[in-house]
Structures are given as structure tokens and as C-alpha cells.
């Protein structure tokens, strides 16, 4: 399956509120141990829904490496 | 669309709480549930399940700011998510909470009951329309104090909802900060180990920094 050119990445200031998890259409982001959200970049399709929802504005989109 | 679960309707409980508290201040005591359940969940290994699923307050601002579009939907200023602000606000909020407990103790010790609700820590709203004679004065005093705490957080939550993203309150909500802090203390080591094994596979938090 062709992967999206981007995936979401979450920085250290995540407050683990879970808003991203609630809106992700691909079930690609989860809260880990109540500490931070973490994205499964295999599942992420780079739709940015989580980034638009994040109240702390800590999600950035990063380019996938050209060679895997 | 994700299928709705029973807990997606807990925002109704939040509205009901505010309505009951406005009708009779003694219902403010029910708010202790919103205070203790998140802490118990995170202390007993449930992580931030309260914030992530069961918080009616968070859901309510999500609906008002998201579905009803009562939010500018702008990213909040960076300081709001900074550690010093979040933990500083928690410390301030808890100090005010303990002051409120102290006034309850003073009434228990014989001081007169103050039938006011303090909003935003300074504005004393007269609140004489409820009958509180049937309970001990200290019991009523706690209700007045606690409802002030709940109304204050509701006002702050609505202001930040309008100004920034719908759930911006969740960035510095004292309960959210406390539960995340508990999780960090409880699972910090496990998390570091997890981070080491999963960072290469997932868009991991540690990797990005800033
Ligand atoms: S929405 Fe933002 S702050 Fe909340 S859990 Fe997701 S990344 Fe973290
Ligand atoms: S970018 Fe889209 S698919 Fe990827 S984690 Fe965010 S919401 Fe999910
Ligand atoms: S951060 Fe506060 S308001 Fe937001 S979901 Fe958690 S407990 Fe509720």
C-alpha cells in the first residue's frame, strides 16, 4: 500500500488529553501510559486532523524518509 | 464516524451538576466525584482514562467549541503548555483550594457561615437563595467554597475555549496536570523503556523534542 508523504509527530509538551486519539480516523494515535500521545507512523495517513484538534498545538507533520 | 459509547454523553452530567448547584448549593458536594475519580483512576493504573473518556467537562467544551463553533480555534500561546505555567497554575489552584478548606474548618470551629460564592478568587457573589439550615454550617460552607472552585474553572474554561482551541482548558486544567503528573511518577521508567523500543517504529514524542 502506498504511504502518505507525511506523518504526524508529537512533541514533548503533549498533555495527554486524548483529543488527537478521539479524532484520528485511522486509529493511528494513542495515549501511552497516561504520559503522552504517540503516533503509529505505519497507520498514519497524514490527514492533519489531530494537528488541527490538538489544544496544546504540539503536533507537527514530518516528511517520511525517501528511502525506507 | 466512531460509534458513540455511553460515556460520550457524560457532558450531560456536567450540565446537570451546574444546574443542581445553582438550584441548591449543597449539590456542590457532588463535584467531589469529579475531583476524586480522575485521581483514583490514575493512582490505580488507569492512566488518563478519565480525561480521554469520562470527563463531561472536557466533552462539553468540545461540543460548544467544536460542534457549535463557539471557538476561534486558534492555537494557544506557547506559555500555556509550558511546564512552569501548568505546574504553577496547579500549585496556585491547590493553594486556593486549601484556603477554602481552611475557611470550612474555621466555620467548623465556630466562625459564622459566609453565604457567598467566590468567583475567580476575588469576586464574592452573594448567594442567599438556598436553604442550608438543615445541615451543619461547616457542611454548607464547604459547598459554597467548592461551588466557587467549580464555577471559577468553568469560567476560565469557557474563556480559553472562545479565545483558543475548544479544549484549551485541558492544557492547564489542574486535574489533567495532576493525573499526568501521577502517571509520570508511576510509569516514568516503564515509559522510558517503552520509548526506547518503539521510537523507531512510531512517530514518537521523544524523537521530536522542539
Ligand atoms: S491532542 Fe495534543 S496534547 Fe492532546 S494528547 Fe494529542 S498530542 Fe497530546
Ligand atoms: S495525521 Fe490523521 S491519520 Fe495521522 S495520526 Fe493524525 S489524525 Fe491520525
Ligand atoms: S484536562 Fe481537565 S477538563 Fe480536560 S478532560 Fe482532563 S479533567 Fe477534563
Amino acid at each position: 500500500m502506498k504511504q502518505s508523504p507525511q506523518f504526524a509527530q508529537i512533541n514533548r509538551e503533549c498533555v495527554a488529553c486524548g483529543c488527537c486519539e478521539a479524532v484520528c480516523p485511522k486509529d493511528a494515535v494513542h495515549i501511552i501510559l497516561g504520559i503522552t500521545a504517540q503516533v503509529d507512523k505505519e497507520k498514519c495517513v497524514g490527514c492533519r486532523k489531530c494537528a488541527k484538534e490538538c489544544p496544546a498545538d504540539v503536533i507537527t507533520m514530518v516528511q517520511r524518509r525517501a528511502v525506507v | 464516524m466512531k460509534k458513540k459509547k455511553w460515556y460520550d454523553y457524560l457532558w450531560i452530567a456536567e450540565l446537570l451538576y451546574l444546574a443542581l448547584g445553582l438550584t441548591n448549593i449543597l449539590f456542590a458536594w457532588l463535584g467531589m466525584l469529579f475531583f476524586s475519580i480522575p485521581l483514583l483512576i490514575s493512582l490505580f493504573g488507569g492512566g488518563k482514562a478519565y480525561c480521554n473518556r469520562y470527563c463531561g467537562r472536557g466533552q462539553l467544551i468540545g461540543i460548544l467549541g467544536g460542534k457549535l463553533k463557539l471557538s476561534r480555534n486558534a492555537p494557544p500561546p506557547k506559555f500555556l503548555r509550558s511546564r512552569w505555567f501548568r505546574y504553577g497554575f496547579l500549585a496556585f489552584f491547590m493553594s486556593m483550594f486549601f484556603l477554602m478548606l481552611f475557611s470550612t474548618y474555621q466555620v467548623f470551629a465556630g466562625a459564622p457561615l459566609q453565604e457567598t460564592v467566590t468567583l475567580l478568587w476575588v469576586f464574592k457573589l452573594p448567594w442567599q437563595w438556598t436553604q442550608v439550615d438543615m445541615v451543619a454550617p461547616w457542611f454548607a460552607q464547604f459547598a459554597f467554597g467548592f461551588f466557587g472552585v467549580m464555577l471559577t474553572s468553568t469560567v476560565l474554561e469557557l474563556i480559553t475555549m472562545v479565545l483558543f482551541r475548544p479544549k484549551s482548558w485541558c492544557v492547564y486544567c489542574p486535574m489533567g496536570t495532576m493525573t499526568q503528573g501521577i502517571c509520570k511518577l508511576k510509569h516514568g521508567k516503564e515509559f522510558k523503556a517503552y520509548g526506547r523500543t518503539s521510537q523507531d517504529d512510531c512517530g514518537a514524542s521523544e524523537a521530536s523534542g522542539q
Side-chain angles (χ1 to χ4, degrees):
Chain A
M1 202 174 72
K2 198 171 172 283
Q3 280 190 320
S4 61
Q6 292 185 322
F7 66 95
Q9 197 169 60
I10 290 158
N11 87 26
R12 284 168 207 263
E13 285 172 310
C14 167
V15 299
C17 64
C19 298
C20 49
E21 195 178 22
V23 295
C24 177
K26 297 289 168 187
D27 197 31
V29 57
H30 294 285
I31 305 298
I32 308 298
L33 300 165
I35 296 176
T36 185
Q38 202 166 57
V39 176
D40 180 340
K41 71 178 181 190
E42 297 307 316
K43 285 187 180 175
C44 176
V45 294
C47 68
R48 296 183 55 94
K49 282 197 174 163
C50 55
K52 283 187 206 147
E53 193 75 15
C54 175
D57 196 29
V58 295
I59 304 182
T60 44
M61 305 309 290
V62 291
Q63 297 295 326
R64 289 183 197 276
R65 271 175 246 152
V67 182
V68 182
Chain B
M1 258 253 306
K2 286 183 182 171
K3 216 178 144 218
K4 290 253 188 219
K5 305 256 173 42
W6 65 269
Y7 50 72
D8 292 321
Y9 299 95
L10 285 169
W11 56 273
I12 299 171
E14 176 66 23
L15 276 181
L16 202 63
Y17 172 74
L18 290 173
L20 285 173
L22 288 170
T23 317
N24 189 321
I25 196 80
L26 295 177
F27 283 112
W29 271 90
L30 287 177
M32 284 304 283
L33 292 173
F34 304 140
F35 219 72
S36 48
I37 293 173
L39 296 179
L40 290 173
I41 290 180
S42 52
L43 280 171
F44 290 101
K48 288 217 11 160
Y50 184 80
C51 290
N52 304 159
R53 275 186 221 131
Y54 308 117
C55 179
R57 179 172 277 249
Q59 289 172 9
L60 192 60
I61 44 177
I63 293 171
L64 294 176
K67 283 207 179 103
L68 301 186
K69 302 210 182 312
L70 297 174
S71 167
R72 283 172 64 229
N73 219 345
K78 282 191 177 152
F79 77 84
L80 209 69
R81 65 182 193 226
S82 68
R83 202 172 286 191
W84 69 263
F85 181 77
R86 294 178 64 224
Y87 283 96
F89 185 72
L90 170 64
F92 170 74
F93 199 88
M94 290 315 287
S95 316
M96 293 296 146
F97 186 78
F98 283 112
L99 270 182
M100 183 274 284
L101 287 184
F102 183 65
S103 345
T104 304
Y105 166 74
Q106 283 179 315
V107 172
F108 177 75
L113 171 70
Q114 291 185 22
E115 291 183 59
T116 53
V117 165
T118 311
L119 192 63
L120 296 167
W121 306 287
V122 278
F123 305 109
K124 292 204 180 293
L125 313 178
W127 209 275
Q128 270 118 357
W129 64 78
T130 20
Q131 276 294 331
V132 289
D133 305 343
M134 65 284 220
V135 295
W138 69 267
F139 191 90
Q141 189 63 64
F142 179 84
F144 282 110
F146 196 69
F147 203 59
V149 171
M150 296 304 268
L151 278 188
T152 296
S153 51
T154 306
V155 168
L156 289 178
E157 159 190 323
L158 293 175
I159 293 174
T160 32
M161 174 198 85
V162 172
L163 290 180
F164 311 118
R165 290 207 170 132
K167 287 176 118 181
S168 297
W169 163 251
C170 297
V171 179
Y172 66 107
C173 162
M175 294 316 297
T177 308
M178 260 195 285
T179 48
Q180 192 190 26
I182 292 171
C183 292
K184 280 184 178 166
L185 289 175
K186 257 184 91 99
H187 307 295
K189 277 193 190 140
E190 211 181 320
F191 177 70
K192 274 193 187 135
Y194 181 91
R196 270 197 293 276
T197 55
S198 65
Q199 245 174 45
D200 293 339
D201 307 329
C202 307
S205 56
E206 295 293 312
S208 64
Q210 259 220 324

